[in-house]
Amino acid sequence: MNHLPQAWGRPRDDVYGAYDHSHFQTSGPIQHTQSPIVTGTSVVAAKFKDGVVIAADNLASYGSLARFTDVKRLRKFNDQVVVGFGGDVSDMQYLDRLLNSLDIRENYSSSETALNAKNLHTYLAKVMYKRRSDFNPLWNHLLIAGLDGEDKPFLASADLLGTTFTSPTLATGFGAHLAQPILRRTLPDDASVEDVDQETAVKLVKEAMKVLFYRDARSMDRYSIAVITKTGVELHEDEKLENQSWQFAEQIRGYGTQVN
Amino acid sequence: MVSPLADTSIGTGYDLSNSVFSPDGRNFQVEYAVKAVENGGTAVGIRCKDGVVLALEKLVTSRLLKAGANKRISTIDRNIGVVSSGLLPDGRHFVSRARDEAASWRSMYKAPIPSSALANRMGSYVQAYTLYSSVRPFGVTAIVAGWDSEAELPVDGQVGAGPKVGSGGKKEGQKHGGPFLYMIEPSGLYWGYYGAATGKGRQIAKSELEKLNLADGELSLEEGVKEAARIIYVAHDDNKDKEFELEMTWISSLSGPTKGRHEEVPKELREEAEKLAKKSLDDDEDEEEEKMEE
Amino acid sequence: MASVFSGAPPQGGPGYSFTQTPRAAPSGERQHGFYPYTDNGGSTLGISGADFTILAGDTRSTSGYNINTRYAPKLFKIGGEGPDNKGAQIVLSVVGFAADGDALKERLDTIVKMYKYQHGKNMTVSACAQRLSHILYNKRFFPYYVHAILGGLDEEGKGALYSYDPVGSYEREQCRAAGAAASLIMPFLDNQVNFKNQYMPGSGTGHNLQARQAQPLPQNDVEELVRDAFTSAVERHIEVGDGLQMMIITRDGIAETFTPLKKD
C-alpha cells in the first residue's frame, strides 16, 4: 500500500513508466496534429458512363489494432455527391460536421440549385489547403464522387496538402499502389468511361476491394459502397466480401524457412 | 387592450422609453410593437397529426415585385421553419438569430435543436429587447414550426454504431419527437399551440382554427395544408388589401412527404388548396345571399 | 512502457517517483512533424517568337512513384471572361507543388480580372509579370513552391516570356524550361533556340570562330522543338509523360493543343 495520496488510482511508475506531466502544460507553442491517430485505410472509386462507384471498408485502425469495425467512411452529402474519407477518423468527423452545417446553410432557401460534386470538391480542396497553410492539417485523403454541373460523372481527390486531381479511377492510401493499376486496366482514359456500364464498374471496384483485403494489413472484409447516378445515391454500408478465406495460405509451400 | 394613444397616459412620458413602466405596470413600447404586428399580413400555423403547416398571406406591396419571389417563410434548421408578421427587417433579424442558435446547438450537442429549446431561446432573446432603453422591442410575432425527429439520432459521423444493449444502448419502441408549434410575441411571451395565428386577420383566423378541434390530433397534414390555405383566404380582407400571395411550407414526419424536413409545399398541392379555398369562399357567399333573399 | 506487469514486487523498492517525472514542457526548439510541401513532378517550357509565344507542359501528376492522374494541366489562361477565361491573352504555367500552383493561378487570375473591372482595359503582360513577382515575393517566408512561366504578347505585339523562381525573382527570356526535366530540356533549348555552341561554317578556327547569331524562329519550327523536347524528356525522366498540353498565344488569341506522350 502506498501512502502518498497522489499515487492512488494512478498507473504505477515502475510498471508503466513515469507520467509525463508536460501534457498538462498550457504555455508554449500551439501544437497541431503531428500525425494521424485512429485511421481509415484506402478509398477506391471508378467512373462509368452514367455515374461513379465509390467504396471504402468499415475499419478504423489504432496503429496496428483494428479499433472500430463498423465505421462509415462514405458520406452522402446530397442526391448527387458522396465523399469518401481516408486517413484520420477524428478529422473525418470534423469534416462531416462541417459538411452538415454547409448543407443546412445551403438549404435556407430552396430555390437555388443544390451543390454538385464539382462544387463540393472545390470547397473541400480549399478547406484542406487553408488548413495545411496554417500548419494545422486535416490528416485526410478525400475522394469526392458524384455528378458535375452538367450531370456528367465527376470524380476528384483532395489531400492533406490541398493537392487536387481528377481521373477516371482514383484510390487513396494503399489503394493507390494496389487498386489503381487494376482499375486502370478497365478505365485507362477518359474515353473509356463511355464504354463501362454500372455493373462492370461495381464489379471492378469490388474486385479492387478484394485485393486490398488480402494485401493491406489494415483492411477488412466489411465495407461500404455507393453508386451515384442521375437517379440519386445508392449507398450500402454493410457489405461483405463474399467467399474470402485465408485457408489457402496453409497449402502454400516454399516460402521463407518452410521448404517442403 | 386600450390603446395607449387613446388613453389619458398620452404625454405622460411613460411611452417614450423601453425599460420604464407606466404607473399601472405597462410597457408601452411593447404595446406599440404589438400594434406593428397587427398591421402585418396574416400568418397561420397548424400542428397536425403527422406534421406542421405554416401559411402566410403575403401582401403584394408593388406590381413591380416578381410573383413568387421574395420568400417570407424561412428555414432555421433542416427540421424547423419560421413565419413572422410585422416589421419585415425585424423578422429577418429574428430568423438570423434563430439560425445562429440552431447552429450553435448543433456544434455544442452534435444534434438538431429541439423546437422547444429554440422557442425558449428565441423567447429569451426577444424578451431582452424589452429591458433596455437603448433598444426597442421586436416588431414581429413569429410562429415557429418544427418536427423533432422520432428516429434514433444518428450522431454525426459517429465512429461505429454504439453499443447494441445496456448503457448507452437503444430502447426498443421508445418514442419521442413529433410536431411542434410555438408563437413568440414582441414581449418575449411564447406558448406552444395546436394552431396559431397572427397579423391583420388573426381574429378570424383564430376562430377558424378553433373549429378544427386540433387538440384531438385527428387532422392530417394534407388536410392541414388545405385548411391553412382556406383560413388565409377567409381572413383576407378584400376591401383593405386587394392582392396577396399565399406562401406555404410544411414539415412532415420521417415517413411523410418531406421526410422530417422543412420545405415549401409543392406547387400542385398549394394550387389545389387555393382552388378549394376560393371555392369554399364562393359557397359561403352564395349561402349568405340565399339567406338575405329569404 | 517500462516492462510488462509481472505481479512480483519490483526490484529497488516501490518507486512511485513522482518527483522524477517531468513537470514542464521540454524547452528549446520544437519541430513540426508536418511538411507542407510535396513535389508533383512534370515539366513545363516556354519559347517566345517574333509574334507568338508558346507554352507547353506535360499532363502527368505524380506522388513519389505513383501517378496521380494522366491528365492534370499545368497551363492556365489568365484573365478573360468568366471561369473559362474567354478572350484571355496571357498564359501562366506552373510546375512543382501543384496545390500551390493552383492557388497561385487562382490569385493571379482574380487580380487580372479585377484589373479589367477597375480600369476598363486589359492588363499588359509586363504589368502582369511584375504583379506575379510581387505575389511570389510577398510569400517568400512560406513560398509557393513552384517554378512559374508567364507568356503573352507585349505592347508591340512581340512574343513575351517571363520566368520566375519560387520567391519572385524574374526575367524576360527567349526560352525557359522548368520542372523535373528542366535540366534535360534547357541545354537542348540553349542550342536550338539561342544557337549556343553553334558557329558559322567556314568562319575559321579558335578565336576566329564566329558564333551563329540567334534569331526568332518561325512558329512551326518552335512547335516541332517543343514536341522533340518533351518526347526526349519522357524517355529519360520518370515523372514526365502521358500527354503534352500546348498553348500558342498569337494576336488572334490562344490556341490550345493536346498530343499524347508515352504513358510508361
Side-chain angles (χ1 to χ4, degrees):
Chain A
M1 171 74 194
N2 183 274
H3 299 283
L4 293 167
Q6 320 144 55
W8 300 346
R10 285 188 172 281
R12 290 170 54 171
D13 285 5
D14 55 326
V15 177
Y16 295 101
Y19 189 80
D20 184 358
H21 289 275
S22 67
H23 291 300
F24 291 130
Q25 206 76 15
T26 49
S27 61
I30 301 169
Q31 288 189 50
H32 296 306
T33 309
Q34 304 289 305
S35 60
I37 307 298
V38 178
T39 57
T41 182
S42 322
V43 186
V44 297
K47 283 191 199 174
F48 60 95
K49 64 176 194 280
D50 308 311
V52 192
V53 198
I54 182 169
D57 69 24
N58 294 350
L59 182 70
S61 307
Y62 178 72
S64 58
L65 173 72
R67 181 64 184 83
F68 302 102
T69 54
D70 53 357
V71 174
K72 280 88 183 168
R73 296 198 292 122
L74 297 186
R75 185 200 193 275
K76 179 183 163 183
F77 180 74
N78 58 27
D79 282 338
Q80 42 186 344
V81 197
V82 169
V83 186
F85 295 85
D88 192 89
V89 167
S90 70
D91 286 348
M92 169 183 90
Q93 291 174 316
Y94 166 79
L95 282 166
D96 183 65
R97 295 198 295 275
L98 192 72
L99 291 178
N100 239 329
S101 70
L102 176 72
D103 181 54
I104 290 167
R105 276 179 281 135
E106 277 303 307
N107 286 300
Y108 282 159
S109 57
S110 52
S111 54
E112 284 156 52
T113 48
L115 288 178
N116 58 46
K118 200 175 177 179
N119 300 145
L120 204 72
H121 174 252
T122 308
Y123 174 76
L124 285 170
K126 298 215 160 171
V127 170
M128 301 301 274
Y129 184 72
K130 170 77 169 58
R131 290 290 293 262
R132 87 98 216 189
S133 298
D134 292 344
F135 272 89
N136 186 199
L138 292 164
W139 218 285
N140 298 105
H141 194 152
L142 318 175
L143 295 189
I144 294 95
L147 303 171
D148 67 8
E150 288 149 3
D151 272 356
K152 288 210 287 273
F154 179 90
L155 175 60
S157 129
D159 68 8
L160 73 166
L161 294 171
T163 319
T164 57
F165 43 85
T166 96
S167 176
T169 63
L170 284 174
T172 75
F174 228 86
H177 298 94
L178 286 180
Q180 189 70 305
I182 298 169
L183 299 171
R184 279 182 183 155
R185 276 212 293 260
T186 309
L187 286 152
D189 49 31
D190 278 316
S192 57
V193 173
E194 283 304 313
D195 309 328
V196 176
D197 61 7
Q198 177 170 337
E199 198 194 333
T200 316
V202 170
K203 247 177 83 180
L204 182 66
V205 166
K206 287 188 174 176
E207 177 68 19
M209 291 304 287
K210 189 170 82 182
V211 173
L212 285 170
F213 167 61
Y214 275 120
R215 293 299 175 205
D216 177 0
R218 309 282 175 262
S219 72
M220 70 168 203
D221 56 351
R222 295 274 175 185
Y223 68 101
S224 306
I225 188 164
V227 180
I228 308 102
T229 57
K230 242 182 264 186
T231 53
V233 172
E234 199 187 310
L235 171 64
H236 301 282
E237 291 187 316
D238 198 20
E239 295 285 287
K240 191 175 186 330
L241 288 171
E242 296 301 333
N243 309 319
Q244 304 306 303
S245 164
W246 280 103
Q247 272 319 126
F248 71 90
E250 288 177 24
Q251 314 306 321
I252 295 175
R253 291 290 181 272
Y255 285 118
T257 53
Q258 185 183 41
V259 287
N260 48 22
Chain B
M1 189 193 301
V2 183
S3 162
L5 291 172
D7 207 65
T8 48
S9 64
I10 192 166
T12 56
Y14 296 113
D15 61 343
L16 295 179
S17 173
N18 231 341
S19 83
V20 173
F21 280 116
S22 78
D24 46 349
R26 295 156 65 182
N27 181 340
F28 287 123
Q29 283 298 315
V30 169
E31 290 177 27
Y32 297 153
V34 172
K35 286 278 167 210
V37 173
E38 288 169 2
N39 291 325
T42 314
V44 166
I46 303 178
R47 181 182 180 273
C48 307
K49 169 169 73 177
D50 47 357
V52 203
V53 192
L54 290 177
L56 171 71
E57 170 205 29
K58 194 165 74 188
L59 299 170
V60 178
T61 53
S62 164
R63 290 201 167 277
L64 297 173
L65 291 169
K66 185 186 171 199
N70 304 306
K71 291 280 181 264
R72 284 268 312 279
I73 309 183
S74 310
T75 302
I76 300 305
D77 200 327
R78 286 201 247 263
N79 61 325
I80 295 174
V82 159
V83 63
S84 65
S85 189
L87 303 181
L88 265 53
D90 287 25
R92 285 265 176 79
H93 179 69
F94 181 95
V95 164
S96 157
R97 175 69 187 200
R99 284 172 177 171
D100 289 351
E101 289 289 355
S104 93
W105 183 284
R106 266 189 191 268
S107 71
M108 187 78 98
Y109 301 112
K110 260 174 116 189
I113 189 169
S115 311
S116 57
L118 182 75
N120 176 275
R121 287 187 172 200
M122 291 314 293
S124 301
Y125 186 67
V126 168
Q127 192 271 151
Y129 279 70
T130 68
L131 295 172
Y132 306 99
S133 56
S134 55
V135 294
R136 61 167 175 79
F138 275 76
V140 289
T141 288
I143 301 175
V144 179
W147 180 279
D148 293 355
S149 178
E150 72 275 37
E152 259 170 28
L153 277 182
V155 181
D156 302 320
Q158 76 184 6
V159 173
K164 291 186 175 62
V165 289
S167 172
K170 286 125 199 179
K171 275 187 191 166
E172 265 180 49
Q174 178 95 335
K175 276 257 175 169
H176 42 77
F180 290 97
L181 184 68
Y182 292 87
M183 184 159 75
I184 305 166
E185 294 172 30
S187 61
L189 172 111
Y190 74 94
W191 297 117
Y193 291 89
Y194 290 114
T198 180
K200 264 181 195 168
R202 68 197 174 285
Q203 301 293 7
I204 303 169
K206 277 179 190 168
S207 67
E208 290 294 324
L209 284 168
E210 280 170 20
K211 291 180 201 164
L212 296 176
N213 297 116
L214 293 166
D216 299 347
E218 293 297 322
L219 192 74
S220 76
L221 185 58
E222 206 143 307
E223 289 168 329
V225 167
K226 286 166 188 166
E227 289 299 341
R230 190 183 61 77
I231 292 170
I232 292 294
Y233 270 85
V234 170
H236 178 69
D237 191 339
D238 270 332
N239 300 322
K240 280 188 186 153
D241 302 299
K242 283 258 156 55
E243 278 195 50
F244 76 99
E245 276 175 28
L246 176 67
E247 195 178 320
M248 283 204 292
T249 63
W250 61 351
I251 316 161
S252 77
S253 64
L254 285 181
S255 51
T258 81
K259 301 185 179 68
R261 296 170 79 100
H262 175 246
E263 288 173 0
E264 231 171 278
V265 172
K267 193 161 168 267
E268 303 76 47
L269 180 57
R270 194 195 70 224
E271 279 169 356
E272 195 201 332
E274 276 185 281
K275 206 172 71 188
L276 290 172
K278 283 177 190 157
K279 188 166 173 288
S280 101
L281 276 190
D282 290 344
D283 291 351
D284 287 352
E285 272 173 30
D286 291 347
E287 267 175 45
E288 270 171 42
E289 272 170 33
E290 276 167 34
K291 273 183 198 165
M292 295 277 272
E293 278 165 25
E294 281 168 23
Chain C
M1 200 181 294
S3 64
V4 175
F5 184 59
S6 61
Q11 293 170 343
Y16 291 103
S17 48
F18 283 86
T19 48
Q20 288 162 28
T21 64
R23 285 177 183 280
S27 58
E29 292 286 311
R30 267 171 175 278
Q31 285 266 299
H32 280 285
F34 171 65
Y35 187 68
Y37 294 113
T38 190
D39 183 359
N40 297 108
S43 247
T44 58
L45 91 82
I47 300 172
S48 68
D51 56 355
F52 67 92
T53 297
I54 293 187
L55 272 94
D58 69 319
T59 62
R60 177 176 286 184
S61 161
T62 62
S63 292
Y65 289 131
N66 286 119
I67 296 172
N68 293 327
T69 174
R70 299 193 191 280
Y71 188 73
K74 285 189 253 299
L75 267 46
F76 306 102
K77 294 180 185 175
I78 296 296
E81 303 267 315
D84 300 325
N85 304 84
K86 274 206 177 62
Q89 284 288 354
I90 299 174
V91 175
L92 171 72
S93 75
V94 280
V95 65
F97 175 35
D100 274 351
D102 285 340
L104 182 65
K105 166 214 79 180
E106 217 119 297
R107 270 184 68 180
L108 190 68
D109 187 40
T110 344
I111 286 166
V112 171
K113 280 173 174 156
M114 287 301 294
Y115 182 96
K116 188 163 188 201
Y117 298 145
Q118 287 171 344
H119 302 288
K121 59 181 183 188
N122 284 317
M123 205 178 203
T124 60
V125 188
S126 58
C128 183
Q130 186 152 56
R131 192 67 179 81
L132 177 56
S133 168
H134 285 150
I135 296 169
L136 292 164
Y137 186 71
N138 272 319
K139 245 175 82 71
R140 66 193 177 284
F141 295 124
F142 184 22
Y144 287 118
Y145 220 134
V146 290
H147 283 100
I149 301 174
L150 192 75
L153 299 177
D154 66 12
E155 280 120 312
E156 295 165 28
K158 291 179 181 148
L161 188 76
Y162 295 86
S163 74
Y164 298 79
D165 79 352
V167 286
S169 167
Y170 81 115
E171 63 177 322
R172 186 169 170 181
E173 292 181 294
Q174 288 299 116
C175 68
R176 171 58 65 184
S183 56
L184 280 67
I185 298 174
M186 201 61 216
F188 170 71
L189 257 34
D190 285 337
N191 181 247
Q192 290 296 309
V193 178
N194 290 326
F195 298 153
K196 290 283 158 65
N197 297 304
Q198 290 198 46
Y199 298 93
M200 298 309 291
S203 60
T205 54
H207 290 295
N208 291 329
L209 265 177
Q210 277 188 334
R212 187 181 166 198
Q213 288 303 307
Q215 56 198 43
L217 299 168
Q219 190 178 318
N220 274 341
D221 292 16
V222 173
E223 281 180 45
E224 279 305 305
L225 276 182
V226 170
R227 264 186 264 276
D228 286 349
F230 272 93
T231 40
S232 307
V234 167
E235 294 295 331
R236 288 292 184 176
H237 202 118
I238 55 165
E239 290 173 0
V240 183
D242 293 332
L244 174 63
Q245 185 195 18
M246 265 202 263
M247 285 197 185
I248 304 152
I249 310 135
T250 60
R251 70 166 72 82
D252 302 326
I254 301 172
E256 191 175 347
T257 67
F258 178 83
T259 9
L261 291 174
K262 284 168 81 172
K263 291 179 159 57
D264 59 4

